[in-house]
Amino acid sequence: MSTAQIIYEQYKVLPKRVRQELKKLIISEDEEEKPLSLMEEIEESLKQVKLIRDGKLPRRTFADLKQEMKDGE
C-alpha cells in the first residue's frame, strides 16, 4: 500500500467536520505558497510606480529602505 493510500484510508475515518477543515487547510496552503512569476512581480512593481507618480503612495528612497531593514532587525 502506498503512502497516499494509507493517508486516504485514515482520511476516510475522520469525522465529516474534520475532513472539511483538512480540505480547507490544504487548499489555503496551496494558494498561499504560490510564488509570483517574474512577470507578475514586474507588473506589480510598475503598478506601484504609477501610484507613486500619481501621489497615491509615498515616495521611498534608498535611505528609507535601509532604515526599514535596520528597524526590522
Side-chain angles (χ1 to χ4, degrees):
M1 189 177 281
S2 73
T3 304
Q5 289 172 324
I6 293 169
I7 292 171
Y8 180 69
E9 292 299 322
Q10 291 175 344
Y11 167 81
K12 288 192 315 184
V13 298
L14 293 172
K16 186 175 182 177
R17 179 184 55 80
V18 176
R19 287 190 304 217
Q20 291 172 342
E21 289 176 18
L22 182 60
K23 284 181 192 177
K24 287 179 186 177
L25 178 63
I26 292 170
I27 291 170
S28 69
E29 279 189 10
D30 287 344
E31 291 173 353
E32 288 175 5
E33 293 181 8
K34 181 185 173 194
L36 295 177
S37 70
L38 179 59
M39 185 56 109
E40 290 170 329
E41 287 182 24
I42 292 170
E43 289 172 351
E44 184 64 31
S45 297
L46 288 173
K47 288 177 187 176
Q48 290 178 0
V49 168
K50 288 178 183 179
L51 289 172
I52 290 171
R53 284 185 179 170
D54 294 341
K56 295 179 181 174
L57 276 181
R59 289 187 180 265
R60 292 170 56 195
T61 64
F62 185 67
D64 295 335
L65 294 174
K66 285 180 11 183
Q67 186 61 40
E68 287 177 22
M69 291 179 72
K70 281 184 182 178
D71 294 342
E73 292 178 352

